[in-house]
Amino acid sequence: MRVYIPATVSMLRTFVDSGELTPIGGTAFALTPALRESYAAGDTEELEYAAMLDAARASLRLLAGDEKAEPRRAVVAVDMDDVTLRPDLDFSVVKVAGSVTMKAVASVHLDTAEAEEDVRAAADVVDAADLGDPDAEFALGSAEDHELAWYAPQELAFVLELM
C-alpha cells in the first residue's frame, strides 16, 4: 500500500543522515476503503492525491509545534505492507509500525521557497481552521494552493543541500 508520511525539513535531514524515518506516532495517510467511500467519484490517482494532501496538512501541524522549523510542508510517499487502518481518526489515517528506509520511498514531496510565507501563516492557524474560523481557513487555503514539488528519493540529499 502506498502511504504518505507527514514530515518536516528537519525530519528529512535526519532521514538522509540516518537512513531511517519514523513517522510521528506511527501516523500516515493512504487511500483506504473509508476514503474511497467518502468520495462520490474519483479514480485511484485522484484519491491517492487526496490522501497526500491530508498528509501535507498533517505536516502543517508538525510545523505549528516548532517555531524554528523551515516553513515547508513535506510528505514522504512509501510503499509498505504493515499498515493498520484507523477510520476512527479520519478516512485516510493509517498507523504504521516502526521506521522506513530510503529503499521503501517512492517519492518525496516538498514545498518550494515561494510557499514559505503562506505555509508559516497556515501553520500558525491550522487548528483554528479546523474549528471553522473563516480567516484561518483562508490562510490554510492559501498554503494549500501551492503544489508540492515532486522529488525522486535519490534527489533528496541534493535538494536539502540546496536549501
Side-chain angles (χ1 to χ4, degrees):
M1 172 181 273
R2 173 75 43 96
V3 300
Y4 301 92
I5 300 171
T8 63
V9 171
S10 175
M11 290 171 67
L12 294 178
R13 290 185 196 286
T14 301
F15 186 25
V16 168
D17 291 343
S18 71
E20 290 189 345
L21 174 68
T22 303
I24 304 294
T27 301
F29 299 81
L31 171 51
T32 65
L35 180 63
R36 188 176 296 281
E37 290 175 16
S38 72
Y39 279 82
D43 63 18
T44 298
E45 186 176 323
E46 291 169 322
L47 296 176
E48 284 184 343
Y49 182 72
M52 185 186 74
L53 291 179
D54 287 345
R57 185 171 287 196
S59 176
L60 280 176
R61 293 182 194 297
L62 296 175
L63 293 173
D66 183 358
E67 291 179 10
K68 295 180 182 179
E70 294 178 62
R72 295 191 190 198
R73 297 170 297 161
V75 175
V76 180
V78 178
D79 293 317
M80 58 189 331
D81 296 322
D82 190 12
V83 174
T84 303
L85 302 178
R86 290 300 310 266
D88 55 312
L89 297 176
D90 203 352
F91 294 136
S92 63
V93 176
V94 296
K95 292 291 183 175
V96 298
S99 59
V100 297
T101 64
M102 198 61 79
K103 284 184 179 182
V105 175
S107 58
V108 178
H109 307 267
L110 185 64
D111 273 314
T112 61
E114 293 79 24
E116 287 184 358
E117 184 178 325
D118 290 332
V119 167
R120 176 54 66 205
D124 290 342
V125 298
V126 65
D127 289 334
D130 283 345
L131 296 173
D133 180 308
D135 292 331
E137 289 175 2
F138 182 79
L140 188 63
S142 293
E144 291 178 340
D145 284 343
H146 295 277
E147 289 290 327
L148 297 173
W150 181 97
Y151 298 100
Q154 62 270 23
E155 295 176 302
L156 182 58
F158 302 110
V159 169
L160 294 173
E161 188 176 309
L162 294 173
M163 289 179 65

